[in-house]
Amino acid sequence: MREQLEKIKNDAVKEIKVGTDSKGLDEIRIKYLGKKGLLTGILRGMGGLSTEERPVIGKLANDVREEIEAALEASVNKIKSGEKNKRLLEEVIDITMPGVSSKIGGLHPETKVLDEIKEIFFGMGFSVAEGPEVELDYYNFEALNIPENHPAKDEQDTFYINDKVVLRTQTSPVQIRTMEKTKPPIRIIVPGRVYRSDAVDATHSPVFTQIEGLVVDKGITMANLKGTLDTFAQRFFGEKTRTKFRPHHFPFTEPSAEVDVSCFVCGGEGCRVCKGSGWIEILGAGMVHPDVLRRGGIDPEIYSGFAFGMGLERIVMIKYGIDDMRLLFENDVRFLKQF
Ligand code: DAH
């Protein structure tokens, strides 16, 4: 029996040494130590031994079991770490390989120009006010002195939600909304989306952006309007820029003017950008009509004000030499990347 045990041990250790994967080692374990295994077989035969021999052989059998188990474990560990190293080598990341860089986004030219315009007006003490795009007909027209029969109210020009509600056609209604809830001095700009029932072409879009301005205080005159717009024009288009006020009519201002800036490309001599005139029209403006102040809850005997409104897309197009407004809305990355 002693010799049998010795042989089992030697055979097992030998087999374990040549085993190369976990599965093979499992088979060896079953062959020797399993329920029907060789060592178990020996232990079963121990019944026939004498009382002196039994503990001796029992101990020997246990030693053999322990040795086989130890050999198995050592081998399993070796194989496992070998398998792990192999996997690590296969999974290695080559950090010298060129990477796939993700594209970085940028600001839309309208956002850039709007930020710039806001900064200029912030510098003159203005703050930003906002109002609803779905607006009461009252604020969009009536409160601004636009009479019931005015062509701008025509369904061909205005999107009606119902009899009393429209998509605002201008940012001017925010003038009234602000006056209603703020006491002078008021100094705001109102950037926002406006809607008109226009067909899309190179210079028109049913949705576009306006920037409204409103100043109300004691003693505000046309000179303040001119000074404010001159400062804006010089900071935005360049120091040498001059403004020109042409008489015009808006129902909500009196007097009213259309304002041109001297061409920032040719300086006023005439070029392609200003179409030879030396001037570029950029906004409408005027002194707030007393009736409009009154509707905003402000006494025109004590206060006066000026207002202006410009189209952001137009200014962006002038500034960057863009000849088709649609480019600003299509968001083609090849176009947007250029700014
Ligand atoms: N709301 C006018 C428009 O959409 C623009 C405008 C002109 C606004 C004169 C004003 C202003 O505040 O004083 O055509």
Side-chain angles (χ1 to χ4, degrees), residues 20 36 39 55 66 69 90 97 99 105 131 156 182 189 200-201 208 226 247 250 268 300:
T20 49
K36 293 178 185 159
L39 186 63
E66 272 169 27
E69 274 173 353
E90 279 167 2
M97 250 165 74
Q156 304 220 317
T182 324
I189 50 167
V200 174
D201 65 23
F208 60 103
K226 172 92 171 147
F250 296 106

Side-chain angles (χ1 to χ4, degrees), residues 118 120-130 174 178 182 185-191 211-215 308:
K118 278 191 205 162
I120 294 171
F121 282 102
F122 290 164
M124 293 190 274
F126 285 70
S127 53
V128 168
E130 285 180 335
V174 186
T178 305
T182 324
I186 294 171
R187 229 181 281 152
I188 54 160
I189 50 167
V190 185
I211 305 168
E212 190 83 11
L214 174 70
V215 169
F308 58 87

Side-chain angles (χ1 to χ4, degrees), residues 310-334:
M310 58 184 128
L312 178 62
E313 285 77 10
R314 200 180 134 69
I315 305 242
V316 172
M317 289 167 75
I318 295 167
K319 170 131 181 158
Y320 290 118
I322 298 165
D323 56 10
D324 193 324
M325 196 188 283
R326 285 168 286 202
L327 290 166
L328 292 172
F329 301 118
E330 281 163 1
N331 286 335
D332 185 326
V333 175
R334 289 166 301 181

Side-chain angles (χ1 to χ4, degrees), residues 9 14 18 21 65 79 82 90 98 122 133 171 191 202 249 254 256 260 273 309 323 330:
K9 186 184 86 182
K14 213 185 282 166
V18 295
D21 58 19
R65 163 183 291 274
I79 285 167
E90 279 167 2
F122 290 164
E133 289 174 26
T171 43
H249 170 76
E254 178 58 35
S256 304
D260 299 348
V273 173
D323 56 10
E330 281 163 1

Side-chain angles (χ1 to χ4, degrees), residues 169-172 175 196 208 210 212-213 250 252-253 257 283-287 306-310:
T169 61
Q170 47 187 355
T171 43
S172 305
Q175 289 190 29
R196 284 183 200 177
F208 60 103
Q210 283 190 335
E212 190 83 11
F250 296 106
F252 34 88
T253 44
L283 52 80
M287 300 308 292
F306 68 74
F308 58 87
M310 58 184 128

Side-chain angles (χ1 to χ4, degrees), residues 32-323:
Y32 290 94
L33 306 179
K35 265 190 203 152
K36 293 178 185 159
L38 292 171
L39 186 63
T40 324
I42 297 272
L43 291 170
R44 282 217 186 93
M46 269 171 61
L49 292 172
S50 68
T51 26
E52 295 91 62
E53 273 178 320
R54 206 176 290 158
V56 181
I57 297 295
K59 183 174 181 305
L60 191 64
N62 262 335
D63 290 349
V64 168
R65 163 183 291 274
E66 272 169 27
E67 261 184 76
I68 295 175
E69 274 173 353
L72 275 170
E73 196 182 303
S75 197
V76 164
N77 285 344
K78 208 170 112 204
I79 285 167
K80 283 221 172 112
S81 78
E83 283 168 356
K84 186 171 160 197
N85 282 341
K86 193 167 155 236
R87 210 181 60 232
L88 286 178
L89 274 178
E90 279 167 2
E91 287 176 1
V92 103
I93 295 168
D94 180 359
I95 57 165
T96 64
M97 250 165 74
V100 187
S101 60
S102 45
K103 291 203 175 79
I104 294 175
L107 294 177
H108 190 281
E110 280 192 52
T111 308
K112 284 187 151 182
V113 169
L114 179 57
D115 283 350
E116 208 180 311
I117 293 175
K118 278 191 205 162
E119 273 315 311
I120 294 171
F121 282 102
F122 290 164
M124 293 190 274
F126 285 70
S127 53
V128 168
E130 285 180 335
E133 289 174 26
V134 180
E135 181 57 287
L136 288 173
D137 164 278
Y138 170 77
Y139 285 110
N140 195 78
F141 296 120
E142 198 184 321
L144 291 165
N145 258 355
I146 300 171
E148 203 49 51
N149 60 357
H150 194 280
K153 292 201 67 177
D154 202 287
E155 270 181 58
Q156 304 220 317
D157 295 305
T158 302
F159 291 114
Y160 281 86
I161 303 288
N162 59 40
D163 273 2
K164 297 221 152 28
V165 182
V166 300
L167 294 185
R168 68 178 177 194
T169 61
Q170 47 187 355
T171 43
S172 305
V174 186
Q175 289 190 29
I176 309 290
R177 285 180 172 276
T178 305
M179 288 192 277
E180 278 181 347
K181 54 178 199 248
T182 324
K183 285 203 171 65
I186 294 171
R187 229 181 281 152
I188 54 160
I189 50 167
V190 185
R193 226 169 248 165
V194 300
Y195 302 82
R196 284 183 200 177
S197 180
D198 275 332
V200 174
D201 65 23
T203 52
H204 293 86
S205 160
V207 188
F208 60 103
T209 316
Q210 283 190 335
I211 305 168
E212 190 83 11
L214 174 70
V215 169
V216 181
D217 203 352
K218 286 178 182 154
I220 296 292
T221 70
M222 198 109 181
N224 299 118
L225 171 61
K226 172 92 171 147
T228 302
L229 294 181
D230 279 357
T231 303
F232 163 67
Q234 284 157 10
R235 300 220 172 121
F236 187 79
F237 291 107
E239 254 175 71
K240 296 219 171 77
T241 310
R242 286 157 294 133
T243 62
K244 179 165 82 174
F245 282 48
R246 282 180 289 105
H248 198 76
H249 170 76
F250 296 106
F252 34 88
T253 44
E254 178 58 35
S256 304
E258 273 190 331
V259 179
D260 299 348
V261 290
S262 55
C263 180
F264 63 100
V265 175
C266 63
E269 295 193 351
C271 69
R272 207 179 58 89
V273 173
C274 57
K275 300 193 181 77
S277 75
W279 296 95
I280 303 169
E281 185 200 321
I282 60 157
L283 52 80
M287 300 308 292
V288 183
H289 196 292
D291 286 347
V292 172
L293 287 173
R294 228 172 262 127
R295 285 207 198 81
I298 289 171
D299 185 350
E301 301 297 328
I302 305 175
Y303 293 103
S304 56
F306 68 74
F308 58 87
M310 58 184 128
L312 178 62
E313 285 77 10
R314 200 180 134 69
I315 305 242
V316 172
M317 289 167 75
I318 295 167
K319 170 131 181 158
Y320 290 118
I322 298 165
D323 56 10

